[in-house]
């Protein structure tokens, strides 16, 4: 142990000693208060209560849905395939192992589905390189940790094409989905004991990731206004929460409420964050699913002064119906790029290489796919499911975006006296429809005690089957 009179040593030297001797940093000091500030270092938890880290309740409900043969409207993943052209690009990456040109993005953009199919058939007819002859392979092996250059350029061009926003490929990292993008962002800007502002209801991963990194979540509650059909927060509650915080996570369009934060709302959030030097971490995986005339706001484009404070996390998982591919990205300010990539490298090494290649086909899909197809893909399913829930007695505010219905069951006779988990299990076992208990999305308020979340991203067959099953509640 180092005494107070010991020669002063650099934080880096102390960190090296802790690592090489397999001891914690706190073991090198007489008291915790003697420890130096080491930005970006891994410290033991502070005296603040550590958020609970647990298995996903949402994924648990999916497993139970299979066990009880219920229609799975719990976990928010589609059960319809990605665009055919994107799947063909993935198949080519895996089968060929190599790129076909110096500009694969343009080649895939200009190729028809028939062109790609013929290319695959030629590959399948080739003799197998099973060790009997020499063959090379690139796309099934490691990529650079930050992702393929052509794929990062494709992400950059995607933002230029859809938002008129210019971002360098040097400030883009391909990630293991938006989940890892968000986790790496938190670790990049946060140190143990830092506060992170979360709007509740929230996706369960946010407080869990805070717990993993010993960050302290501070909650700002969104509350329903049925008269106006909106979810609103108290501005003073937000202002108080941001004061002294390190970061704020903004998910818009929002899961589970479907709220789309308007540009005027975001302007207030941005001003508060800049004033208090708080980083904004956005989760934008539902960006193209905006309804009723609402529009998604890309913060660094709409508010250039906030660009250096904003980390944009996104993924092709929901928009491409490819949640199992785990391919996402983060746009990070230049001064954070090295740190972000270092954390990403040590956490996951890289995003799956074949999926990086296939993202070239996704990111170069016709603009109509993003502006015309995705905004209406789930709209009818949401409408008919919302009507069925209302007929059963649920209170529903129709979402402005995403593909969830966050429904109040206080007027459903069979459910109104039950806890959220008991209500969800009743629906699962007795009705045959899987949902997620509402209290899973709250950390402070008790508002979630009378909500269930339903995902309308499943096939029309599944939605219609669930609607038929829900009719049993009408008579109770």
């Amino acid at each position: 142990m180092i005494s107070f009179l010991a020669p002063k040593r650099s934080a880096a030297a102390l960190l090296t000693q802790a690592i090489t001797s397999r001891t914690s940093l706190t073991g090198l000091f007489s008291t915790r208060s003697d420890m130096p500030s080491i930005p970006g270092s891994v410290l033991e938890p502070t005296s603040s209560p550590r958020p609970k880290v647990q298995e996903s309740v949402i994924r648990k409900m999916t497993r139970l849905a299979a066990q009880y043969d219920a229609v799975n409207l719990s976990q928010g993943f589609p059960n319809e395939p990605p665009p055919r052209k994107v799947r063909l690009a993935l198949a080519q990456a895996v089968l060929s192992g190599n790129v076909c040109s110096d500009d694969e993005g343009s080649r895939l953009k200009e190729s028809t589905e028939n062109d790609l199919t013929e290319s695959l058939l030629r590959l399948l007819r080739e003799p197998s390189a099973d060790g009997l002859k020499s063959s090379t392979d690139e796309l099934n092996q490691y990529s650079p940790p930050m992702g393929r250059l052509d794929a990062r350029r494709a992400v950059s061009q995607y933002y230029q094409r859809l938002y008129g926003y210019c971002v360098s490929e040097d400030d883009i990292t391909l990630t293991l989905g938006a989940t890892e993008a968000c986790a790496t962002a938190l670790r990049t800007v946060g140190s143990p004991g830092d506060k992170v502002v979360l709007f509740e209801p929230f996706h369960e991963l946010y407080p869990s990731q805070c717990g993993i990194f010993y960050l302290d979540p501070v909650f700002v509650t969104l509350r329903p206004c049925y008269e106006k059909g909106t979810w609103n927060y108290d501005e003073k509650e937000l202002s108080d929460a941001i004061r002294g915080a390190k970061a704020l996570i903004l998910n818009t369009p929002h899961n589970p409420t479907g709220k789309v934060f308007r540009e005027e709302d975001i302007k207030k959030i941005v001003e508060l964050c800049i004033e208090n030097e708080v980083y904004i971490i956005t989760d934008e995986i539902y960006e193209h699913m905006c309804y009723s005339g609402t529009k998604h706001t890309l913060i660094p484009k709409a508010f250039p002064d906030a660009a250096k404070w904003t980390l944009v996390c996104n993924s092709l998982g929901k928009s491409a119906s490819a949640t199992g591919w785990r391919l996402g990205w983060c746009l990070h300010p230049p001064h954070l790029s090295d740190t972000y990539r270092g954390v990403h490298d040590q956490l996951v090494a890289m995003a799956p290489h074949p999926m990086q290649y296939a993202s070239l086909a996704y990111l170069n899909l016709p603009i109509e796919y993003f502006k015309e197809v995705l905004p209406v893909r789930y709209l009818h399913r949401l409408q008919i499911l919302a009507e069925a829930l209302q007929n059963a007695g649920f209170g529903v505010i129709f979402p402005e975006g995403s593909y969830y219905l966050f429904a109040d069951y206080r007027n459903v006779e069979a459910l109104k006296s039950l806890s959220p988990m008991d209500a969800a299990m009743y629906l699962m076992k007795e009705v045959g429809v899987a949902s997620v208990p509402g209290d899973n999305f709250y950390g402070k308020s008790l508002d979630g005690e009378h909500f269930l979340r339903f995902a309308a991203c499943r096939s029309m067959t599944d939605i219609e089957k669930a609607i038929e099953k829900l009719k049993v509640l009408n008579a109770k």
Side-chain angles (χ1 to χ4, degrees):
M1 182 176 291
I2 300 175
S3 72
F4 289 110
L5 300 177
K8 193 170 183 179
R9 301 170 63 194
S10 71
L14 293 167
L15 182 58
T16 299
Q17 178 178 336
I19 293 171
T20 55
S21 62
R22 298 186 180 181
T23 61
S24 70
L25 282 167
T26 48
L28 299 176
F29 298 90
S30 301
T31 67
R32 185 175 183 86
S33 62
D34 298 329
M35 293 176 63
S37 173
I38 306 176
S41 65
V42 182
L43 307 183
E44 291 186 343
T46 66
S47 58
S48 302
R50 180 185 178 189
K52 187 176 182 181
V53 181
Q54 61 183 15
E55 180 186 14
S56 164
V57 172
I58 296 172
R59 288 185 271 281
K60 176 182 179 181
M61 301 309 289
T62 284
R63 293 199 303 276
L64 290 171
Q67 179 180 334
Y68 291 103
D69 195 28
V71 181
N72 186 8
L73 303 187
S74 55
Q75 191 172 352
F77 67 96
N79 59 346
E80 296 169 315
R84 181 176 173 83
K85 193 171 186 180
V86 181
R87 285 179 283 148
L88 289 169
L90 177 62
Q92 178 171 303
V94 173
L95 285 173
S96 72
N98 291 289
V99 299
C100 299
S101 70
D102 293 333
D103 187 356
E104 285 294 273
S106 296
R107 187 186 72 83
L108 290 169
K109 180 179 179 180
E110 295 166 3
S111 297
T112 65
E113 291 181 8
N114 285 338
D115 293 335
L116 295 176
T117 301
E118 286 299 319
S119 176
L120 285 175
L121 291 174
R122 286 194 297 273
L123 284 170
L124 290 169
R125 287 193 290 265
E126 290 180 356
S128 174
D130 57 0
L132 298 179
K133 67 175 185 177
S134 176
S135 180
T136 62
D137 183 288
E138 173 190 351
L139 298 175
N140 293 297
Q141 314 307 324
Y142 288 135
S143 76
M146 73 287 293
R148 294 178 58 86
L149 177 58
D150 54 3
R152 288 184 286 115
R153 281 179 177 162
V155 172
S156 175
Q157 292 163 1
Y158 166 89
Y159 282 96
Q160 181 65 50
R161 185 162 61 121
L162 289 171
Y163 296 100
Y165 179 62
C166 181
V167 56
S168 169
E169 61 266 20
D170 293 332
D171 300 317
I172 298 170
T173 297
L174 302 187
T175 62
L176 200 65
T179 299
E180 188 254 315
C182 183
T184 299
L186 283 171
R187 186 65 189 87
T188 296
V189 304
S191 297
D194 284 343
K195 294 197 307 179
V196 177
V197 180
L198 307 177
F199 286 100
E200 62 172 4
F202 45 69
H203 190 282
E204 62 187 7
L205 73 86
Y206 304 144
S208 288
Q209 289 183 348
C210 286
I212 289 171
F213 298 126
Y214 303 124
L215 304 169
D216 298 329
V218 180
F219 304 103
V220 176
T221 306
L222 295 172
R223 292 191 165 85
C225 177
Y226 289 95
E227 294 77 16
K228 296 181 179 180
T230 59
W231 289 79
N232 305 312
Y233 61 88
D234 181 81
E235 291 185 13
K236 184 179 185 305
E237 185 182 7
L238 176 63
S239 178
D240 290 344
I242 286 179
R243 193 175 300 114
K246 189 69 173 188
L248 174 145
I249 296 179
L250 181 64
N251 172 216
T252 181
H254 186 256
N255 171 14
T257 68
K259 177 181 177 64
V260 174
F261 284 76
R262 303 300 208 277
E263 189 164 322
E264 55 267 29
D265 291 326
I266 295 176
K267 183 174 185 291
K268 296 174 184 176
I269 294 170
V270 164
E271 289 173 346
L272 281 171
C273 286
I274 292 177
E275 178 185 344
N276 290 276
E277 298 186 346
V278 172
Y279 284 102
I280 304 168
I281 299 170
T282 68
D283 182 349
E284 308 192 2
I285 58 176
Y286 306 105
E287 62 180 324
H288 302 298
M289 301 168 199
C290 294
Y291 318 122
S292 305
T294 59
K295 291 184 178 180
H296 177 65
T297 300
L298 180 67
I299 289 179
K301 168 64 177 179
F303 305 99
D305 289 346
K308 67 179 181 180
W309 294 103
T310 306
L311 297 90
V312 176
C313 302
N314 210 330
S315 160
L316 59 70
K318 307 302 172 91
S319 294
S321 298
T323 56
W325 288 20
R326 312 312 301 144
L327 196 287
W329 57 84
C330 181
L331 317 184
H332 32 71
H335 70 282
L336 294 179
S337 291
D338 287 347
T339 303
Y340 188 95
R341 288 178 168 181
V343 175
H344 161 77
D345 188 359
Q346 298 304 319
L347 283 179
V348 302
M350 57 168 225
H353 199 168
M355 283 69 173
Q356 293 184 39
Y357 175 85
S359 74
L360 295 172
Y362 165 76
L363 294 163
N364 282 289
L365 287 173
I367 199 165
E368 290 76 18
Y369 178 79
F370 304 103
K371 293 197 170 185
E372 297 176 14
V373 175
L374 288 176
V376 299
R377 169 170 285 174
Y378 301 109
L379 185 55
H380 179 61
R381 300 177 217 193
L382 283 164
Q383 290 168 338
I384 61 175
L385 181 58
E387 182 180 4
L389 290 170
Q390 289 169 332
N391 290 340
F394 286 90
V396 177
I397 292 178
F398 195 79
E400 299 169 328
S402 75
Y403 48 48
Y404 301 100
L405 294 168
F406 203 47
D408 186 333
Y409 63 82
R410 280 178 292 185
N411 291 324
V412 180
E413 189 64 33
L415 305 179
K416 63 183 183 181
S417 64
L418 302 178
S419 70
M421 179 57 83
D422 288 344
M425 291 309 300
Y426 180 93
L427 275 186
M428 181 103 63
K429 295 178 179 179
E430 305 299 327
V431 179
V433 176
S435 60
V436 181
D439 55 357
N440 183 54
F441 303 93
Y442 287 83
K444 178 180 70 173
S445 169
L446 297 178
D447 289 5
E449 295 293 332
H450 46 82
F451 279 96
L452 295 172
R453 191 196 76 170
F454 299 85
C457 54
R458 309 297 281 179
S459 68
M460 184 61 75
T461 299
D462 280 359
I463 298 296
E464 291 173 345
K465 189 183 298 184
I467 288 171
E468 191 62 33
K469 289 177 178 290
L470 286 168
K471 288 179 180 177
V472 70
L473 294 174
N474 299 1
K476 295 186 178 182

